[in-house]
Amino acid sequence: MDEGEAPPYHVHHGKEDSPFVMISDHAGRMVPERLGDLGLPPDEWDRHIAYDIGIREVGRHLQQALGCLLVEQVYSRLVIDCNRAAGHPTSIPPVSDGAPVQGNQGLSAAERQQREDAILHVYHDEIERHLSQRNLDETLFVSLHSFTPAMQDGLARPWHIGLLHDHDPHSARLMKELLEGEGNLCVGDNQPYVLNTQNEYSVPYHAGRRNLPALEIEIRQDLISDGAGQRLWAERLARLLPCFWERRKDMA
């Protein structure tokens, strides 16, 4: 990136005694100036291929309500996906959901390395810096995402929210019970995606290798595409996450 451009993270600082550390890997859709528009027309930048629709606003409302740390990734997942390990085949997609990304095609190893060094590693180093300063016995790692209402073949996804897990299924089960207690929610268990070290990076890297309690939360994008939905889901999670944390500690 050129001098003066934004770093790949935006940090919203929280109260020191908050147990929640939140990250948002796909909050932003900025592009370093030298990459231009990656060869994509303007309307493609409004699609889910560029960022997780609605999740930045949900995260910010939730951070304000909980008073916790939130680290957002500000560059588009089309530049580099910060929820993929360096070198992952989908890390810098040449085609995304049918849209050719010309600026990602034919990249050399050096060009890929530039994006990893400038964005991927810097973002995750910032998360690591904050975790290294915390009492990890009193920390819940929360990764925020959103997903499309239908798959590429048009098949509808019925879940309002999904809880992804790998090393910590206990937390996902407990949070699922609380969400289902709302009475009208379809909650996915490792749906619409499965979390594992092959297809995801952030939770396994920061929480899995530390055996840190973790939740990866996926909210369906049509439910958070406007301000009312974003506030509703942030208020719901702000109410349930402290309940979850108290129950989890009681059961430990």
Side-chain angles (χ1 to χ4, degrees):
M1 293 182 292
D2 294 329
E3 185 176 352
E5 289 193 79
Y9 54 80
H10 185 87
V11 178
H12 302 261
H13 293 280
K15 297 178 290 188
E16 290 186 4
D17 61 349
S18 173
F20 307 113
V21 170
M22 297 194 305
I23 68 165
S24 193
D25 295 328
H26 304 142
R29 51 178 166 171
M30 293 174 57
V31 182
E33 290 182 9
R34 67 176 62 187
L35 297 182
D37 59 10
L38 294 175
L40 284 167
D43 58 336
E44 296 288 1
W45 291 99
D46 293 327
R47 296 179 58 210
H48 68 279
I49 62 173
Y51 70 121
D52 274 3
I53 294 169
I55 205 62
R56 183 184 69 171
E57 292 74 19
V58 172
R60 292 185 176 187
H61 287 310
L62 185 54
Q63 187 273 333
Q64 287 290 313
L66 293 175
C68 64
L69 176 72
L70 169 63
V71 183
E72 298 173 341
Q73 208 289 104
V74 304
Y75 287 96
S76 173
R77 66 197 304 172
L78 292 174
V79 177
I80 187 166
D81 191 331
C82 283
N83 196 24
R84 299 292 184 270
H88 193 281
T90 65
S91 172
I92 303 175
V95 178
S96 184
D97 195 13
V101 187
Q102 295 177 4
N104 290 349
Q105 295 175 1
L107 295 182
S108 67
E111 288 170 322
R112 296 183 67 93
Q113 185 73 51
Q114 284 181 328
R115 297 195 198 183
E116 292 167 0
D117 290 343
I119 297 176
L120 175 72
H121 297 312
V122 177
Y123 169 67
H124 286 290
D125 285 350
E126 180 67 9
I127 298 170
E128 285 288 286
R129 187 178 72 82
H130 288 282
L131 288 173
S132 71
Q133 298 171 355
R134 296 184 57 87
N135 175 5
L136 297 183
D137 291 331
E138 291 294 328
T139 296
L140 174 71
F141 190 79
V142 181
S143 181
L144 299 172
H145 293 269
S146 68
F147 65 94
T148 58
M151 300 187 65
Q152 292 183 11
D153 60 5
L155 185 65
R157 289 166 160 165
W159 311 282
H160 300 102
I161 185 171
L163 299 172
L164 312 190
H165 57 85
D166 185 13
H167 76 284
D168 185 18
H170 172 62
S171 288
R173 285 195 296 267
L174 181 54
M175 189 64 180
K176 186 172 187 287
E177 291 174 7
L178 289 170
L179 284 162
E180 289 177 339
E182 300 285 282
N184 59 349
L185 295 179
C186 180
V187 183
D189 180 0
N190 262 346
Q191 294 285 1
Y193 312 109
V194 175
L195 193 163
N196 58 47
T197 56
Q198 286 73 50
N199 62 20
E200 299 222 2
Y201 182 67
S202 296
V203 170
Y205 179 70
H206 295 293
R209 65 190 173 93
R210 292 180 167 96
N211 202 28
L212 192 65
L215 290 171
E216 181 160 336
I217 296 173
E218 292 265 2
I219 306 173
R220 206 174 69 203
Q221 289 171 358
D222 60 317
L223 303 177
I224 54 172
S225 60
D226 60 23
Q230 292 155 8
R231 287 188 296 272
L232 184 151
W233 276 93
E235 290 167 1
R236 174 178 285 133
L237 292 173
R239 174 166 44 83
L240 294 181
L241 279 169
C243 296
F244 159 85
W245 186 239
E246 289 304 314
R247 290 192 189 184
R248 196 187 193 287
K249 290 196 298 182
D250 290 344
M251 297 169 66

